[in-house]
Amino acid sequence: MPGRRPTTIARSRLALTFLAWLFLLLGGPAVATAQAPTAATSDAPLVLVFDLDGAVGPATSEYLRRGLETAAAREAELAVILMDTPGGLDSSTREIIADILASPTPVAVFVTPAGSRAASAGTYILYASHLAAMAPGAHLGAATPVQMGGSNPLMPERREGDDAAGDDAAQPDAMTAKVTNDAVAYIRSLAGLHGRNADWAERAVRRAETLTATEALDQGVIEILTRDLDGLLAAADGRTVMVNGQARVLNTAGAQVETLAPNWRARVLAVITNPNIAYLLMMVGVYGLIFEFTSPGAVGPGAVGAVSLLLGLFALNMLPVDYAGVALMALGVGLLLLEALAPGLGIFGAAGAIALALGSVMLFREAPGFKLSPYVILSTVGLSLAFFVIALRAVAQSTRRAVATGQAALLTAHAVVKSWDGDRGYVHAQGEDWHARSAVPLSPGQPVRIAARDGLTLTVEPENPA
């Protein structure tokens, strides 16, 4: 129909826009924030600076990978990572370390300003760097894998004076031991690359030990203790570092310093990989699709729901997800939907809300900097319960109403005889006059019930047969 074509075109354009945006976000080429290599404006060496502030995650890995690629392309003398992190995801940490080790550009990690930290994942990244520096007042350590956190109530605690047998009894379970030993071997191998203190690194993993900046310098964990970036560059000038197995003397005196900010892709990734945002995207996606299925033709909820669900699943794929939590959330949504469509005295709704809440709590495994806010969980579960119990129940009730138009409604309607002759005549029904027939004689003004329809002829019978 001519009147519907603009709407169809507009919807098609909207869908194409969503698809193009998804392509660029999830797999398309990212636009670099740094300029392409150009002819040097001076003979001064180039130093590129990156800011790692916050939890280490997929966005951090993306940002530093492209930053180090830019540093290599522009033949920078040194890449400096300004670090202040509580830790983060193991997968992202290993990606960053692999990029540092493969970089042809020397990488310095500078834990700054005063009060900052290189905890957990940050300690591993610092050990992987070609040059390690800290500001006075900063600290590092506590590199114990998060999976080891807490105590096992089934194991006795080690006490002073316990004998060897007691020590054996207090050893961690096999899985914890595997995680610990893997982490120890990993950080010791990183320490060996640049001659740093491997024994303390092992204690940071096994005993969660920490060091202040001064202690780190005294124990051979870092090479430079300085207050600012200028002090770092002055102290780094003339030092020899090992880059891909080859000695390289740094020339940072009078260097031209540029700070590279994350590009748009890394910024979007940082937003959607926030556990709270990923969780909300997934829930909006589920509810949008449910609303579209229960009210076909709305288009908007379905389109927004599909995009939100894809973004949420993409983010969850990069986060430490516990699939038992996902299963509980799916069960909770299903029970709430069942309560809306087939009310069960609130049993389904209560069970669904409990399952959704428990699944939300269990959704993400513990990782520094990646936590789901309890306020987000409570708000989402409450809104979900209200949405399903009120909105979807209204939709379900509307589907059970009697048909008000069309042939189905006509066959249950009442009519009044206008004129009659023998077994045929005319009746008035739903505002129209219809040709009708009946097996019994009728009279004008008599109320009748429509029993059947054959084309434009109705079969009627008296409402109150004698």
Side-chain angles (χ1 to χ4, degrees), residues 328 331-336 339 346-358 385:
L328 274 172
L331 176 62
V333 172
L335 288 173
L336 288 172
E339 175 67 30
I347 297 176
F348 295 142
I354 293 172
L356 183 59
L358 291 176
L385 192 58

Side-chain angles (χ1 to χ4, degrees), residues 176-190:
T176 301
K178 287 173 64 176
V179 173
T180 306
N181 293 335
D182 177 73
V184 167
Y186 189 44
I187 201 167
R188 288 190 72 97
S189 67
L190 295 176

Side-chain angles (χ1 to χ4, degrees), residues 47-415:
V47 173
L48 296 182
V49 179
F50 316 107
D51 193 8
L52 198 170
D53 185 7
V56 176
T60 313
S61 174
E62 169 80 14
Y63 165 46
L64 292 180
R65 177 183 299 112
R66 296 190 180 279
L68 292 177
E69 289 174 354
T70 301
R74 298 181 63 181
E75 298 182 351
E77 182 68 20
L78 183 66
V80 180
I81 301 175
L82 306 181
M83 179 185 290
D84 181 10
T85 178
L89 304 182
D90 176 73
S91 58
S92 299
T93 302
R94 289 178 181 266
E95 289 174 1
I96 292 171
I97 290 174
D99 291 333
I100 291 175
L101 298 181
S103 173
T105 303
V107 178
V109 168
F110 184 21
V111 185
T112 186
S116 59
R117 56 182 169 168
S120 190
T123 302
Y124 292 85
I125 295 174
L126 180 139
Y127 261 82
S129 65
H130 303 96
L131 192 63
M134 296 179 70
H139 65 278
L140 84 164
T144 304
V146 173
Q147 291 86 346
M148 293 174 55
S151 60
N152 190 335
L154 300 179
M155 296 181 184
E157 294 184 4
R158 181 176 180 177
R159 297 180 178 86
E160 186 176 354
D162 284 348
D163 56 17
D167 288 345
D168 291 340
Q171 288 300 312
D173 60 83
M175 182 56 68
T176 301
K178 287 173 64 176
V179 173
T180 306
N181 293 335
D182 177 73
V184 167
Y186 189 44
I187 201 167
R188 288 190 72 97
S189 67
L190 295 176
L193 291 175
H194 304 292
R196 298 195 178 104
N197 191 331
D199 293 334
W200 178 85
E202 180 171 349
R203 293 196 299 273
V205 174
R206 294 191 184 279
R207 305 178 190 174
E209 288 192 5
T210 59
L211 290 177
T212 65
T214 303
E215 292 170 341
L217 182 66
D218 293 340
Q219 296 194 31
V221 175
I222 63 173
E223 290 78 45
I224 298 174
L225 179 64
T226 184
R227 293 187 176 277
D228 52 32
L229 182 60
D230 290 338
L232 169 63
L233 297 181
D237 186 53
R239 284 181 178 267
T240 301
V241 295
M242 297 300 295
V243 181
N244 294 327
Q246 296 182 348
R248 179 167 171 176
V249 179
L250 297 178
N251 175 26
T252 55
Q256 174 188 353
V257 179
E258 292 186 19
T259 300
L260 296 185
N263 61 15
W264 70 271
R265 190 176 189 273
R267 289 172 181 167
V268 172
L269 201 59
V271 172
I272 67 173
T273 53
N274 180 308
N276 297 295
I277 300 300
Y279 174 77
L280 291 175
L281 282 172
M282 187 175 65
M283 298 305 296
V284 169
V286 170
Y287 294 156
L289 292 179
I290 289 175
F291 189 87
E292 180 67 31
F293 292 147
T294 55
S295 301
V299 178
V304 172
V307 173
S308 298
L309 186 59
L310 285 175
L311 288 175
L313 293 175
F314 173 73
L316 291 179
N317 183 57
M318 295 186 289
L319 294 174
V321 174
D322 189 327
Y323 290 100
V326 175
L328 274 172
M329 288 183 63
L331 176 62
V333 172
L335 288 173
L336 288 172
L337 182 60
L338 185 60
E339 175 67 30
L341 299 178
L345 300 179
I347 297 176
F348 295 142
I354 293 172
L356 183 59
L358 291 176
S360 300
V361 171
M362 297 170 55
L363 182 60
F364 296 105
R365 295 191 295 273
E366 185 180 357
F370 289 85
K371 277 189 175 181
L372 190 57
S373 169
Y375 300 105
V376 172
I377 295 175
L378 290 175
S379 301
T380 304
V381 172
L383 290 174
S384 300
L385 192 58
F387 175 79
F388 280 103
V389 172
I390 298 175
L392 289 185
R393 177 172 290 183
V395 172
Q397 289 175 349
S398 67
T399 61
R400 293 195 291 266
R401 292 176 182 170
V403 180
T405 60
Q407 180 169 328
L410 181 64
L411 294 179
T412 60
H414 297 277

